Coordinates of all heavy atoms in Angstrom, one line a residue:
M19 N -12.2 25.2 0.0 CA -12.4 23.9 -0.7 C -11.5 22.9 -0.1 O -10.3 23.1 0.0 CB -12.1 24.1 -2.2 CG -12.3 22.9 -3.0 SD -12.4 23.4 -4.7 CE -11.2 22.3 -5.4
L20 N -12.0 21.7 0.3 CA -11.2 20.7 1.0 C -10.7 19.7 -0.1 O -11.4 19.4 -1.0 CB -12.1 19.9 2.0 CG -12.4 20.7 3.2 CD1 -13.3 19.9 4.1 CD2 -11.2 21.0 4.0
R21 N -9.5 19.3 0.1 CA -8.9 18.2 -0.7 C -9.5 16.9 -0.3 O -9.6 16.6 0.9 CB -7.4 18.2 -0.6 CG -6.8 19.5 -1.2 CD -5.3 19.4 -1.1 NE -4.7 18.2 -0.6 CZ -3.6 18.2 0.1 NH1 -2.9 19.3 0.4 NH2 -3.1 17.0 0.5
L22 N -9.8 16.0 -1.3 CA -10.4 14.7 -1.0 C -9.4 13.8 -0.2 O -9.8 13.1 0.7 CB -10.8 14.0 -2.3 CG -11.4 12.7 -2.1 CD1 -12.7 12.7 -1.3 CD2 -11.7 12.1 -3.5
D23 N -8.1 13.9 -0.5 CA -7.1 13.1 0.2 C -7.1 13.5 1.7 O -7.0 12.6 2.6 CB -5.8 13.1 -0.4 CG -5.2 14.5 -0.5 OD1 -5.9 15.5 -0.5 OD2 -3.9 14.6 -0.6
L24 N -7.2 14.8 2.0 CA -7.2 15.2 3.4 C -8.4 14.8 4.1 O -8.4 14.4 5.2 CB -7.0 16.7 3.4 CG -6.9 17.4 4.8 CD1 -5.7 16.8 5.6 CD2 -6.8 18.9 4.7
V25 N -9.6 14.9 3.4 CA -10.8 14.5 4.0 C -10.8 13.0 4.4 O -11.2 12.6 5.5 CB -12.0 14.9 3.1 CG1 -13.3 14.2 3.6 CG2 -12.2 16.4 2.9
K26 N -10.4 12.2 3.5 CA -10.3 10.8 3.7 C -9.4 10.4 4.8 O -9.6 9.5 5.6 CB -10.0 10.0 2.4 CG -11.1 10.0 1.4 CD -10.8 9.1 0.3 CE -11.1 7.7 0.7 NZ -11.1 6.8 -0.4
K27 N -8.2 11.1 4.9 CA -7.3 10.9 6.0 C -7.9 11.2 7.3 O -7.6 10.5 8.3 CB -6.0 11.7 5.7 CG -4.9 11.4 6.7 CD -3.7 12.3 6.5 CE -3.0 12.0 5.2 NZ -1.7 12.8 5.0
I28 N -8.7 12.2 7.4 CA -9.3 12.7 8.7 C -10.5 11.8 9.1 O -10.7 11.4 10.2 CB -9.7 14.1 8.6 CG1 -8.4 15.0 8.5 CG2 -10.5 14.6 9.8 CD1 -8.7 16.5 8.2
K29 N -11.4 11.6 8.1 CA -12.7 10.9 8.4 C -12.7 9.4 8.3 O -13.5 8.8 8.9 CB -13.7 11.5 7.4 CG -14.1 12.9 7.7 CD -15.4 13.3 6.9 CE -15.9 14.6 7.4 NZ -17.2 14.9 6.7
K30 N -11.7 8.8 7.6 CA -11.7 7.4 7.4 C -10.4 6.7 7.8 O -9.9 5.9 7.1 CB -12.1 7.1 6.0 CG -13.4 7.5 5.6 CD -13.8 7.1 4.2 CE -15.1 7.5 3.8 NZ -16.1 6.6 4.0
P31 N -9.8 7.0 8.9 CA -8.6 6.4 9.3 C -8.9 4.9 9.7 O -9.9 4.6 10.1 CB -8.1 7.2 10.5 CG -9.3 7.7 11.1 CD -10.3 8.0 9.9
L32 N -7.9 4.1 9.4 CA -7.9 2.7 9.8 C -9.0 1.9 9.1 O -9.4 0.8 9.6 CB -8.0 2.5 11.3 CG -6.9 3.2 12.1 CD1 -7.2 3.1 13.6 CD2 -5.5 2.7 11.7
E33 N -9.6 2.3 8.0 CA -10.6 1.6 7.3 C -10.1 0.7 6.2 O -10.8 0.0 5.5 CB -11.7 2.5 6.8 CG -12.5 3.1 7.9 CD -13.8 3.8 7.4 OE1 -14.1 3.8 6.2 OE2 -14.4 4.5 8.3
G34 N -8.7 0.8 6.0 CA -8.1 -0.1 5.0 C -8.1 0.4 3.6 O -7.8 -0.4 2.7
F35 N -8.3 1.6 3.3 CA -8.3 2.1 2.0 C -7.1 3.0 1.6 O -6.9 3.5 0.5 CB -9.5 3.0 1.7 CG -10.8 2.2 1.8 CD1 -11.7 2.4 2.9 CD2 -11.1 1.2 0.9 CE1 -12.8 1.7 3.0 CE2 -12.3 0.5 1.0 CZ -13.1 0.7 2.0
R36 N -6.2 3.2 2.6 CA -5.1 4.1 2.4 C -4.2 3.7 1.2 O -3.8 4.6 0.4 CB -4.3 4.3 3.7 CG -3.1 5.3 3.6 CD -3.7 6.7 3.6 NE -2.6 7.6 3.6 CZ -2.6 8.8 2.9 NH1 -3.7 9.1 2.3 NH2 -1.5 9.5 2.9
L37 N -3.7 2.5 1.2 CA -2.8 2.1 0.1 C -3.5 2.2 -1.3 O -2.9 2.6 -2.2 CB -2.3 0.7 0.3 CG -1.3 0.5 1.4 CD1 -0.9 -0.9 1.6 CD2 -0.1 1.3 1.1
D38 N -4.8 1.8 -1.3 CA -5.5 2.0 -2.6 C -5.6 3.5 -3.0 O -5.4 3.8 -4.2 CB -6.9 1.4 -2.5 CG -7.0 -0.1 -2.2 OD1 -6.0 -0.7 -2.7 OD2 -7.9 -0.5 -1.6
D39 N -5.8 4.3 -2.1 CA -5.9 5.8 -2.4 C -4.5 6.3 -2.8 O -4.4 7.1 -3.8 CB -6.3 6.6 -1.2 CG -7.8 6.3 -0.8 OD1 -8.5 5.9 -1.7 OD2 -8.2 6.6 0.3
L40 N -3.4 5.9 -2.2 CA -2.1 6.3 -2.6 C -1.8 5.9 -4.0 O -1.2 6.6 -4.8 CB -1.0 5.8 -1.6 CG -1.1 6.4 -0.2 CD1 -0.1 5.6 0.7 CD2 -0.8 7.9 -0.2
K41 N -2.2 4.7 -4.4 CA -1.9 4.2 -5.7 C -2.8 5.0 -6.7 O -2.3 5.4 -7.8 CB -2.3 2.7 -5.8 CG -2.0 2.1 -7.1 CD -0.5 2.1 -7.5 CE -0.3 1.5 -8.8 NZ 1.1 1.6 -9.3
R42 N -4.1 5.2 -6.4 CA -5.0 5.9 -7.3 C -4.5 7.3 -7.5 O -4.6 7.8 -8.7 CB -6.4 6.0 -6.7 CG -7.4 6.7 -7.5 CD -8.8 6.8 -6.8 NE -9.2 5.5 -6.4 CZ -9.4 5.2 -5.1 NH1 -9.2 6.0 -4.1 NH2 -9.9 4.0 -4.7
W43 N -3.9 8.0 -6.5 CA -3.5 9.3 -6.7 C -2.0 9.4 -7.1 O -1.4 10.5 -7.0 CB -3.7 10.1 -5.3 CG -5.2 10.2 -5.0 CD1 -6.2 10.4 -5.9 CD2 -5.8 10.2 -3.7 NE1 -7.4 10.4 -5.2 CE2 -7.2 10.3 -3.9 CE3 -5.2 10.0 -2.4 CZ2 -8.0 10.3 -2.8 CZ3 -6.1 10.0 -1.4 CH2 -7.5 10.1 -1.6
N44 N -1.4 8.3 -7.4 CA 0.0 8.2 -7.9 C 0.9 8.8 -6.9 O 1.8 9.6 -7.2 CB 0.1 9.0 -9.2 CG 1.4 8.5 -10.0 OD1 1.8 7.4 -9.8 ND2 1.9 9.4 -10.8
Q45 N 0.8 8.4 -5.6 CA 1.6 8.9 -4.5 C 2.3 7.7 -3.9 O 1.6 6.6 -3.7 CB 0.9 9.6 -3.5 CG 0.2 10.9 -3.9 CD -0.6 11.5 -2.8 OE1 -0.9 10.9 -1.8 NE2 -1.1 12.7 -3.0
G46 N 3.5 7.8 -3.6 CA 4.2 6.7 -2.8 C 4.1 7.0 -1.3 O 3.2 7.8 -0.9
F47 N 4.9 6.3 -0.5 CA 4.9 6.6 0.9 C 6.2 6.3 1.5 O 7.0 5.6 1.0 CB 3.8 5.9 1.7 CG 4.0 4.4 1.7 CD1 4.7 3.8 2.8 CD2 3.5 3.5 0.8 CE1 5.0 2.5 2.9 CE2 3.7 2.2 0.8 CZ 4.4 1.6 1.9
T48 N 6.5 7.0 2.6 CA 7.7 6.7 3.4 C 7.2 6.4 4.8 O 6.4 7.2 5.4 CB 8.6 7.9 3.5 OG1 9.0 8.2 2.1 CG2 9.8 7.7 4.3
R49 N 7.6 5.2 5.3 CA 7.2 4.8 6.7 C 7.9 5.7 7.7 O 9.0 6.1 7.6 CB 7.7 3.4 6.9 CG 7.2 2.8 8.2 CD 7.7 1.4 8.4 NE 7.2 0.5 7.4 CZ 7.7 -0.7 7.1 NH1 8.8 -1.1 7.7 NH2 7.2 -1.4 6.2
R50 N 7.1 6.1 8.7 CA 7.6 7.0 9.7 C 8.5 6.2 10.7 O 8.4 5.0 10.8 CB 6.5 7.7 10.5 CG 5.7 8.6 9.6 CD 4.7 9.4 10.5 NE 3.9 10.3 9.6 CZ 2.6 10.3 9.5 NH1 1.9 9.4 10.2 NH2 2.0 11.1 8.8
N51 N 9.3 6.9 11.5 CA 10.1 6.2 12.5 C 9.2 5.6 13.5 O 8.3 6.2 14.0 CB 11.1 7.2 13.1 CG 12.1 7.7 12.2 OD1 12.5 7.0 11.2 ND2 12.6 8.9 12.4
P52 N 9.5 4.4 13.9 CA 8.7 3.7 15.0 C 8.9 4.3 16.3 O 10.0 4.9 16.6 CB 9.1 2.3 14.9 CG 10.5 2.3 14.4 CD 10.5 3.5 13.4
Q53 N 7.9 4.2 17.2 CA 8.1 4.7 18.6 C 9.0 3.8 19.4 O 9.6 4.2 20.3 CB 6.7 4.9 19.2 CG 5.9 5.9 18.6 CD 4.5 6.0 19.2 OE1 4.2 5.3 20.1 NE2 3.7 7.0 18.7
N54 N 8.9 2.5 19.1 CA 9.7 1.6 20.0 C 10.3 0.5 19.1 O 9.6 -0.4 18.5 CB 8.7 0.9 21.0 CG 9.4 0.0 21.9 OD1 10.6 -0.3 21.8 ND2 8.7 -0.4 22.9
L55 N 11.6 0.6 18.9 CA 12.3 -0.3 18.0 C 12.4 -1.7 18.6 O 12.7 -2.7 17.9 CB 13.7 0.2 17.7 CG 13.9 1.3 16.7 CD1 15.3 1.8 16.6 CD2 13.4 0.8 15.4
Q56 N 12.2 -1.9 19.9 CA 12.3 -3.2 20.6 C 11.3 -4.2 20.1 O 11.4 -5.4 20.2 CB 12.3 -3.0 22.1 CG 13.4 -2.2 22.6 CD 13.2 -1.9 24.1 OE1 12.2 -2.1 24.7 NE2 14.3 -1.4 24.8
L57 N 10.2 -3.6 19.6 CA 9.1 -4.5 19.1 C 9.2 -4.9 17.7 O 8.3 -5.7 17.2 CB 7.7 -3.8 19.4 CG 7.4 -3.4 20.8 CD1 6.1 -2.6 20.9 CD2 7.4 -4.7 21.7
L58 N 10.1 -4.4 16.9 CA 10.2 -4.6 15.5 C 11.4 -5.4 15.1 O 12.5 -5.4 15.8 CB 10.4 -3.3 14.8 CG 9.2 -2.3 14.9 CD1 9.5 -1.0 14.2 CD2 7.9 -2.9 14.3
E59 N 11.3 -6.1 14.0 CA 12.5 -6.8 13.4 C 13.4 -5.7 12.9 O 12.9 -4.6 12.5 CB 12.0 -7.7 12.2 CG 11.3 -8.9 12.6 CD 12.1 -10.0 13.2 OE1 13.3 -10.0 12.9 OE2 11.6 -10.8 14.0
T60 N 14.7 -5.9 13.0 CA 15.6 -4.9 12.5 C 16.2 -5.4 11.2 O 16.2 -6.5 10.9 CB 16.7 -4.6 13.5 OG1 17.4 -5.8 13.8 CG2 16.1 -4.0 14.8
G61 N 16.7 -4.4 10.4 CA 17.3 -4.8 9.1 C 16.7 -3.9 8.0 O 15.8 -3.1 8.3
N62 N 17.2 -4.0 6.8 CA 16.8 -3.2 5.7 C 15.3 -3.5 5.4 O 14.9 -4.6 5.2 CB 17.7 -3.6 4.5 CG 17.4 -2.6 3.3 OD1 16.9 -1.5 3.5 ND2 17.8 -3.0 2.1
G63 N 14.6 -2.4 5.3 CA 13.2 -2.5 4.9 C 12.2 -2.7 6.1 O 11.0 -2.8 5.9
Y64 N 12.7 -2.9 7.3 CA 11.9 -3.1 8.5 C 11.6 -1.8 9.2 O 10.5 -1.5 9.5 CB 12.5 -4.2 9.4 CG 12.3 -5.6 8.9 CD1 13.4 -6.2 8.3 CD2 11.1 -6.3 9.1 CE1 13.2 -7.5 7.9 CE2 11.0 -7.6 8.7 CZ 12.1 -8.2 8.0 OH 11.9 -9.5 7.6
V65 N 12.7 -1.1 9.5 CA 12.5 0.1 10.3 C 12.2 1.3 9.5 O 11.3 2.0 9.8 CB 13.8 0.4 11.1 CG1 13.7 1.7 11.9 CG2 14.1 -0.8 12.1
S66 N 12.8 1.5 8.4 CA 12.5 2.6 7.5 C 12.3 2.0 6.1 O 13.0 1.1 5.7 CB 13.6 3.6 7.5 OG 14.8 3.1 7.0
K67 N 11.3 2.6 5.4 CA 11.0 2.1 4.1 C 10.3 3.2 3.3 O 9.5 3.9 3.8 CB 10.1 0.9 4.2 CG 9.8 0.2 2.8 CD 9.1 -1.1 3.1 CE 8.9 -1.9 1.8 NZ 10.1 -2.6 1.4
T68 N 10.7 3.3 2.0 CA 10.1 4.2 1.1 C 9.7 3.4 -0.1 O 10.4 2.6 -0.7 CB 11.1 5.3 0.6 OG1 11.5 6.1 1.8 CG2 10.5 6.2 -0.4
V69 N 8.4 3.6 -0.5 CA 7.9 2.9 -1.7 C 7.3 4.0 -2.6 O 6.6 4.8 -2.3 CB 6.7 2.0 -1.3 CG1 6.1 1.3 -2.5 CG2 7.2 0.9 -0.3
T70 N 7.8 3.9 -3.9 CA 7.3 4.8 -4.9 C 6.0 4.3 -5.5 O 5.7 3.2 -5.4 CB 8.4 5.0 -6.0 OG1 8.6 3.7 -6.7 CG2 9.7 5.5 -5.5
S71 N 5.3 5.2 -6.1 CA 4.0 4.8 -6.7 C 4.1 3.8 -7.8 O 3.1 3.2 -8.1 CB 3.2 6.1 -7.1 OG 4.0 6.7 -8.2
N72 N 5.2 3.7 -8.4 CA 5.4 2.8 -9.6 C 6.1 1.5 -9.1 O 6.4 0.7 -10.0 CB 6.1 3.4 -10.7 CG 7.5 3.9 -10.4 OD1 7.9 3.8 -9.2 ND2 8.2 4.3 -11.4
D73 N 6.2 1.2 -7.8 CA 6.8 0.0 -7.3 C 6.0 -1.2 -7.6 O 4.7 -1.1 -7.5 CB 7.1 0.1 -5.8 CG 7.9 -1.0 -5.3 OD1 7.4 -2.1 -5.2 OD2 9.1 -0.7 -4.9
N74 N 6.6 -2.3 -8.0 CA 5.8 -3.5 -8.4 C 5.0 -4.0 -7.2 O 3.9 -4.6 -7.3 CB 6.7 -4.7 -8.8 CG 7.2 -4.4 -10.2 OD1 6.6 -3.7 -11.0 ND2 8.3 -5.1 -10.6
K75 N 5.5 -3.9 -6.0 CA 4.8 -4.4 -4.8 C 3.7 -3.5 -4.3 O 3.0 -3.8 -3.3 CB 5.8 -4.6 -3.6 CG 6.8 -5.7 -4.0 CD 6.2 -7.0 -4.2 CE 7.2 -8.1 -4.5 NZ 6.7 -9.4 -4.8
F76 N 3.5 -2.4 -5.0 CA 2.4 -1.5 -4.7 C 1.1 -2.0 -5.2 O 0.0 -1.5 -5.0 CB 2.7 -0.1 -5.2 CG 2.2 1.0 -4.3 CD1 2.8 2.2 -4.3 CD2 1.1 0.9 -3.5 CE1 2.4 3.3 -3.5 CE2 0.6 1.9 -2.7 CZ 1.3 3.1 -2.7
V77 N 1.1 -3.0 -6.1 CA 0.0 -3.7 -6.6 C -0.1 -5.1 -6.0 O 0.8 -5.8 -5.9 CB 0.1 -3.8 -8.2 CG1 -1.1 -4.5 -8.8 CG2 0.3 -2.4 -8.8
W78 N -1.3 -5.5 -5.6 CA -1.5 -6.8 -5.1 C -1.3 -7.9 -6.1 O -1.6 -7.7 -7.3 CB -2.9 -7.0 -4.5 CG -3.3 -6.0 -3.4 CD1 -4.1 -5.0 -3.4 CD2 -2.7 -6.0 -2.1 NE1 -4.2 -4.4 -2.2 CE2 -3.3 -5.0 -1.4 CE3 -1.8 -6.8 -1.4 CZ2 -3.0 -4.7 0.0 CZ3 -1.5 -6.5 -0.1 CH2 -2.1 -5.5 0.6
G79 N -0.7 -9.0 -5.6 CA -0.5 -10.1 -6.5 C -1.9 -10.8 -6.7 O -2.7 -10.8 -5.8
I80 N -2.1 -11.4 -7.9 CA -3.3 -12.1 -8.2 C -3.2 -13.5 -7.5 O -2.2 -14.2 -7.8 CB -3.6 -12.2 -9.7 CG1 -3.7 -10.8 -10.2 CG2 -4.8 -13.0 -10.0 CD1 -3.7 -10.8 -11.7
P81 N -4.2 -14.0 -6.8 CA -4.1 -15.3 -6.2 C -3.9 -16.4 -7.2 O -4.5 -16.3 -8.3 CB -5.4 -15.5 -5.4 CG -5.9 -14.1 -5.2 CD -5.4 -13.3 -6.4
G82 N -3.1 -17.4 -6.9 CA -2.8 -18.5 -7.8 C -4.0 -19.2 -8.3 O -4.1 -19.6 -9.5
Y83 N -5.0 -19.4 -7.4 CA -6.2 -20.1 -7.9 C -7.0 -19.4 -9.0 O -7.6 -19.9 -9.8 CB -7.2 -20.5 -6.7 CG -7.8 -19.3 -6.0 CD1 -9.0 -18.8 -6.4 CD2 -7.1 -18.8 -4.9 CE1 -9.5 -17.7 -5.8 CE2 -7.7 -17.7 -4.2 CZ -8.9 -17.2 -4.6 OH -9.4 -16.1 -4.0
E84 N -6.9 -18.0 -8.9 CA -7.6 -17.2 -10.0 C -6.9 -17.4 -11.3 O -7.5 -17.5 -12.4 CB -7.5 -15.7 -9.6 CG -8.3 -15.3 -8.4 CD -9.8 -15.4 -8.6 OE1 -10.2 -15.5 -9.8 OE2 -10.5 -15.4 -7.6
I85 N -5.5 -17.5 -11.3 CA -4.8 -17.8 -12.5 C -5.1 -19.2 -13.0 O -5.2 -19.4 -14.2 CB -3.3 -17.6 -12.3 CG1 -3.1 -16.1 -11.9 CG2 -2.5 -17.9 -13.5 CD1 -1.7 -15.7 -11.5
T86 N -5.2 -20.2 -12.1 CA -5.5 -21.5 -12.5 C -6.9 -21.6 -13.1 O -7.1 -22.4 -14.1 CB -5.4 -22.5 -11.3 OG1 -4.1 -22.4 -10.7 CG2 -5.7 -23.9 -11.6
L87 N -7.9 -20.9 -12.6 CA -9.2 -21.0 -13.1 C -9.4 -20.3 -14.5 O -10.1 -20.7 -15.3 CB -10.2 -20.3 -12.1 CG -10.4 -21.0 -10.8 CD1 -11.3 -20.2 -9.9 CD2 -11.1 -22.4 -11.1
N88 N -8.6 -19.3 -14.7 CA -8.7 -18.5 -16.0 C -7.3 -18.4 -16.6 O -6.5 -17.6 -16.1 CB -9.3 -17.2 -15.7 CG -9.6 -16.4 -17.0 OD1 -9.1 -16.8 -18.1 ND2 -10.3 -15.3 -16.9
Q89 N -7.0 -19.2 -17.6 CA -5.7 -19.1 -18.2 C -5.3 -17.8 -18.9 O -4.2 -17.6 -19.2 CB -5.5 -20.3 -19.2 CG -5.7 -21.7 -18.6 CD -4.7 -22.0 -17.6 OE1 -3.5 -21.7 -17.8 NE2 -5.1 -22.6 -16.5
N90 N -6.3 -17.0 -19.1 CA -6.1 -15.6 -19.7 C -5.5 -14.6 -18.7 O -5.1 -13.6 -19.1 CB -7.4 -15.1 -20.4 CG -7.8 -16.0 -21.5 OD1 -7.0 -16.5 -22.3 ND2 -9.1 -16.2 -21.6
V91 N -5.6 -14.9 -17.4 CA -5.2 -14.0 -16.4 C -3.7 -14.1 -16.3 O -3.1 -15.2 -16.2 CB -5.9 -14.3 -15.1 CG1 -5.3 -13.4 -14.0 CG2 -7.3 -14.1 -15.2
V92 N -3.0 -13.0 -16.3 CA -1.5 -13.0 -16.1 C -1.2 -12.3 -14.8 O -1.8 -11.3 -14.4 CB -0.9 -12.2 -17.3 CG1 0.6 -12.2 -17.1 CG2 -1.2 -12.9 -18.6
Q93 N -0.2 -12.9 -14.1 CA 0.2 -12.3 -12.8 C 0.8 -10.9 -12.9 O 1.4 -10.6 -14.0 CB 1.2 -13.2 -12.1 CG 1.7 -12.8 -10.8 CD 0.5 -12.8 -9.8 OE1 -0.1 -11.8 -9.6 NE2 0.3 -13.9 -9.1
N94 N 0.5 -10.1 -12.0 CA 1.1 -8.7 -12.0 C 2.6 -8.8 -11.9 O 3.2 -9.7 -11.3 CB 0.6 -8.0 -10.8 CG -0.9 -7.6 -10.9 OD1 -1.3 -7.3 -12.0 ND2 -1.6 -7.6 -9.8
P95 N 3.3 -7.9 -12.6 CA 4.8 -7.9 -12.7 C 5.4 -7.8 -11.3 O 4.9 -7.1 -10.4 CB 5.1 -6.7 -13.5 CG 3.9 -6.3 -14.2 CD 2.8 -6.8 -13.4
G96 N 6.4 -8.6 -11.0 CA 7.1 -8.6 -9.7 C 6.6 -9.6 -8.7 O 7.1 -9.7 -7.6
W97 N 5.5 -10.3 -9.0 CA 4.9 -11.2 -8.0 C 5.2 -12.6 -8.4 O 5.0 -13.3 -9.2 CB 3.4 -11.0 -7.9 CG 3.1 -9.8 -7.0 CD1 3.0 -8.6 -7.5 CD2 3.0 -9.8 -5.6 NE1 2.7 -7.7 -6.4 CE2 2.8 -8.5 -5.2 CE3 3.1 -10.8 -4.6 CZ2 2.6 -8.1 -3.9 CZ3 2.9 -10.4 -3.3 CH2 2.6 -9.0 -3.0

């Protein structure tokens, strides 16, 4: 029996659903070490980063125009 997360990781790489899947399955992530540090900004949060599944930035912010159009919409916490 195959796990759905493993199947999606193998069959659908680079299709843009990974962060959505991690949130849905209540999993965070840790960025791997880069192959070439010369191409990256250095500093806290650039080279290494760990995000837990309950982090505020793991949810997309609601665009400002959506909030302007509908006064009942409230921005996601942390945005």
Side-chain angles (χ1 to χ4, degrees):
M19 184 161 127
L20 289 175
R21 293 183 3 214
L22 182 58
D23 59 338
L24 182 59
V25 171
K26 287 188 82 168
K27 188 184 287 187
I28 293 170
K29 289 191 170 188
K30 296 184 178 268
L32 305 175
E33 289 190 8
F35 297 109
R36 183 71 179 146
L37 287 178
D38 294 332
D39 290 341
L40 290 174
K41 182 65 177 173
R42 181 183 308 114
W43 296 324
N44 200 27
Q45 298 176 347
F47 68 89
T48 299
R49 184 183 296 160
R50 294 187 180 122
N51 292 332
Q53 294 178 358
N54 187 350
L55 282 175
Q56 296 173 349
L57 301 175
L58 297 176
E59 292 284 335
T60 56
N62 188 20
Y64 284 99
V65 177
S66 63
K67 185 171 190 77
T68 298
V69 178
T70 61
S71 62
N72 61 354
D73 189 289
N74 286 340
K75 297 299 182 182
F76 216 150
V77 178
W78 297 111
I80 299 172
Y83 65 88
E84 295 288 346
I85 296 171
T86 302
L87 291 174
N88 185 348
Q89 300 297 320
N90 296 321
V91 175
V92 178
Q93 184 60 270
N94 288 323
W97 282 90

